[in-house]
Amino acid sequence: MSQANDKSVDSTNIGASFTAAALPAAIAFLALYFFYKAPVFLTLNNWISISVQIASLMTISIPFSILLMAGKVDLSVGSMVGLSGVVAGLSFPNLGIIATVVLVLAVGLAIGLLNGFLVGVLSMSPIIVTLGALTLLRGLAQWLSPSPLFDFPEAFTFIGYGRLLGLPILTLIMLSVLAVGLFVMARTPLGRHTVAIGVNERAAYLVGIRVKLTVMLLYGAVGMSAALAGLMTIARINSAPSGTLGVGLELSVLTAVLLGGVPFTGGRGSLLRVALGVWLLGMLSNGLILMNVPTVASLMITGLVLVLAAGLDVLRTRRG
C-alpha cells in the first residue's frame, strides 16, 4: 500500500512539474521558432513593440485573474473597452482630457460595481450577468456613436506612442498595473480574502470575511481596468470604432489567464504566470504577423491555444 501511495505521490509531482514547466517551455520554443523564421523577432525593438501590443490585454488580465481566483468571471470586458472608447471620444470636445479620463474610469468602476452587486449581493450567475452586460454595453456604444470617432487631442494620443525613461508610456502603465496587482495579492487582506473565497465561499463567510463587499470591489477593479484599457487602446490607434473596438477581447483575456494557471474554479493562481501567459499570446500574434500568416489562420491558431489552455486547466484541476 505504501509503495502504491509513493507512486501516486511521484506521479502527482511529475504532473505538477510538467504543467508548471509547460508555459516557460512554450515561450522558449516559440521564441526560437520565430527567431529561426524571422531573425528580427528577437531584437529589442521588436520586444518593446510586443510590450506595447499587449499593454491593454495585460491591464485587464491582472485584475481579471484576481477576480477569477475568487471563483468569479467577467465576460463583459471587451464591450467595456468599446464603450469606454466611445465615451472618451464623445467627451473630449466638451470636457477636455483630464475630466474625460476621470469620467471614463468612473463609468468603468460603476459598471463593474453593478456587475459585482448582481453577482455578489443578489447571487446571480456571473456568466449570465456579464454575458448580458457584454451585449448591453456593445449596443449602448453603437447607439451613442454608430460611426467611428477619430482625431483625439494630441496630448492624449501621446500616451499611445510617447515614451518616458526610454520605455513606451503604455508599457509603463501595464507594468504599474502588474505591480499593484502583485502588491495587493502579497501584502493586503484583500489578496488573502480573494483566495479564501475562491477555495470555499461559505467557509470564508463563516470566518468573518465580507464576501459580498469583496466580490463587488473585485468587479469594480475589473470594470475600471477595462475602461483604462479602452483609453490606452484609443490613444494608440487614435480611433474609437464602436462596432469593433474590444470585440473578442474577453476570450484573449480568458486564454491568457488560463494559460497562466488560474483555474476556472478559482482558489489559487500566480499573477507572474498570468503575465507570462499574456506575453505568450503577444509573442504568438507578433510572430505570425512577421511570418505574414493570414488573419484567418491567426484566429484559428489563437483558438487552438484557448483549447490548450482549457486542457491544462482540466489537468491542473485533476491533479488538485
Side-chain angles (χ1 to χ4, degrees), residues 12-319:
T12 301
N13 290 336
I14 292 173
S17 300
F18 171 77
T19 53
L23 182 57
I27 290 176
F29 172 78
L30 280 179
L32 293 175
Y33 177 76
F34 287 135
F35 174 66
Y36 173 74
K37 290 292 185 180
V40 71
F41 179 79
L42 282 185
T43 60
L44 178 60
N45 284 338
N46 189 54
W47 280 50
I48 289 177
S49 175
I50 293 175
S51 73
V52 171
Q53 293 168 12
I54 66 172
S56 296
L57 178 60
M58 183 81 80
T59 297
I60 300 177
S61 295
I62 295 305
F64 188 100
S65 303
I66 299 174
L67 177 66
L68 195 59
M69 289 180 201
K72 311 298 180 185
V73 69
D74 188 343
L75 299 178
S76 67
V77 290
S79 293
M80 188 64 239
V81 168
L83 178 63
S84 300
V86 168
V87 171
L90 293 173
S91 302
F92 280 131
N94 301 312
L95 300 180
I97 296 176
I98 296 177
T100 294
V101 170
V102 172
L103 172 65
V104 170
L105 294 179
V107 169
L109 175 63
I111 293 174
L113 289 175
L114 178 59
N115 284 337
F117 176 80
L118 295 175
V119 173
V121 178
L122 300 185
S123 301
M124 296 175 66
S125 165
I127 293 179
I128 293 176
V129 167
T130 55
L131 273 179
L134 180 149
T135 306
L136 176 63
L137 298 179
R138 180 65 60 187
L140 181 59
Q142 292 182 312
W143 176 72
L144 289 172
S145 176
S147 301
L149 299 166
F150 299 97
D151 297 330
F152 304 134
E154 187 174 349
F156 173 75
T157 56
F158 178 75
I159 296 172
Y161 64 82
R163 293 190 175 214
L164 285 177
L165 305 174
L167 286 176
I169 296 175
L170 293 181
T171 302
L172 293 174
I173 295 174
M174 172 188 76
L175 293 176
S176 299
V177 172
L178 175 59
V180 170
L182 290 171
F183 177 80
V184 168
M185 293 306 296
R187 300 290 183 181
T188 69
L190 179 61
R192 296 189 295 274
H193 294 173
T194 295
V195 175
I197 292 171
V199 172
N200 189 319
E201 188 170 327
R202 178 63 179 169
Y205 172 77
L206 292 176
V207 298
I209 294 175
R210 302 176 70 179
V211 174
K212 296 177 180 178
L213 177 61
T214 302
V215 170
M216 283 188 65
L217 290 176
L218 294 177
Y219 271 100
V222 171
M224 193 160 64
S225 74
L228 176 60
L231 291 170
M232 295 164 66
T233 303
I234 66 171
R236 183 165 65 91
I237 64 176
N238 196 17
S239 172
S242 61
T244 58
L245 185 63
V247 169
L249 186 60
E250 58 280 347
L251 291 181
S252 297
V253 172
L254 196 55
T255 302
V257 172
L258 292 178
L259 278 173
V262 181
F264 204 80
T265 52
R268 65 178 185 274
S270 162
L271 294 186
L272 289 178
R273 290 186 63 82
V274 170
L276 287 179
V278 175
W279 185 258
L280 186 144
L281 290 183
M283 286 177 53
L284 186 63
S285 174
N286 180 268
L288 293 175
I289 291 174
L290 290 177
M291 292 171 58
N292 294 319
V293 174
T295 304
V296 174
S298 297
L299 288 174
M300 294 171 63
I301 292 173
T302 304
L304 288 175
V305 173
L306 176 58
V307 174
L308 174 63
L312 287 174
D313 179 45
V314 171
L315 185 60
R316 281 189 290 262
T317 302
R318 288 180 178 174
R319 297 286 179 185

